[in-house]
Amino acid sequence: MRSRSVWLVALVCFVATVASAQFRRRAPEPEGGPPEAEFHMARLAYYAVGCAGSRGYCNPWWAIDYPAAEAHFLPAVERMTRIEVAPDSRHLTLADDNLFDYPWLFLQQPGQGSWFPQGEELLRLREYLERGGFLVIDDFHGPYEWAEVSDAISAVLPGRSIVDIPDDDMLHHILFDLDNRTQIPGERHIRGQPMGGDPHWRGIYDDRGRLMVALNHNIDMGDAWEHADDPIYPAPMTATAYRFGVNYVIYAMTH
């Protein structure tokens, strides 16, 4: 009996190890290269300890909703606009030589991932934004993560204020009129985890009034894309996330 128990424990451990490996092995690596279409979504890859995800994925924090978010959102961009869209995203670091070929960067989970660019990375991101790039920061919640993210982006763009994006800003009307600001929760929030507060769509402008950075605070746009086909996720929240995402893309490509 003791021998049988030992073998049973060993088998359980082996299965758990294999399952863990399967869960973790799909985490995407940074992948550069030039864009392959008129619009090619670019995720900003950064170093952070740990991983999380759903549907069998354990991704680094910067790719938390990959690949399901892209699989739903990118066809929607192509369907709702006349933009030629690449079928998947790039995962760019700030050191990538192709950074300046992408007008739109998507940064996820900067609070959980403790994102804080320094040195050459900070200078590269500042140059990217000042040369016309557009950064969307998504999925960070509560006052602690707000303090972390606002400190980080303020170091990148010192002296520039973070403000609430006005209702009449072109961003909110460039294709869809975003008058209904339904809060966009993560899937975990649908299941009961607190959101961290009211939603805020904030941004940083350059000297010409162009929006350089959009900050989605207490909002999880990426999760709404990822769970667009999940019956538990409310359709109005997914619709809001699609409309915001499409407006962000068009704004980035025209400003």
Side-chain angles (χ1 to χ4, degrees), residues 76-202:
V77 174
E78 197 159 43
R79 186 172 65 251
M80 296 175 182
T81 71
R82 295 183 178 180
I83 300 171
E84 179 201 5
V85 181
D88 201 357
S89 60
R90 293 285 196 210
H91 313 130
L92 301 177
T93 68
L94 290 171
D96 195 296
D97 290 337
N98 297 285
L99 176 69
F100 298 98
D101 294 330
Y102 293 83
W104 194 82
L105 283 180
F106 187 54
L107 171 59
Q108 264 203 306
Q109 287 275 357
Q112 290 280 357
S114 298
W115 174 73
F116 203 107
Q118 300 179 56
E120 187 63 28
E121 285 193 340
L122 183 150
L123 297 176
R124 290 269 291 183
L125 182 54
R126 181 183 300 165
E127 182 184 1
Y128 170 83
L129 296 171
E130 290 179 344
R131 284 175 56 177
F134 184 51
L135 173 67
V136 176
I137 305 178
D138 185 60
D139 194 6
F140 64 107
H141 307 272
Y144 177 78
E145 290 187 10
W146 170 258
E148 282 196 332
V149 173
S150 60
D151 285 350
I153 198 63
S154 293
V156 174
L157 296 170
R160 295 198 178 276
S161 300
I162 300 173
V163 299
D164 290 315
I165 299 173
D167 291 342
D168 61 355
D169 191 281
M170 178 61 71
L171 176 71
H172 291 153
H173 305 281
I174 197 164
L175 179 61
F176 296 106
D177 290 319
L178 301 174
D179 301 320
N180 182 12
R181 306 292 170 76
T182 303
Q183 188 164 17
I184 306 169
E187 188 264 351
R188 62 197 181 280
H189 304 120
I190 295 293
R191 298 183 184 277
Q193 182 175 323
M195 280 290 289
D198 295 332
H200 297 282
W201 286 268
R202 292 171 173 149

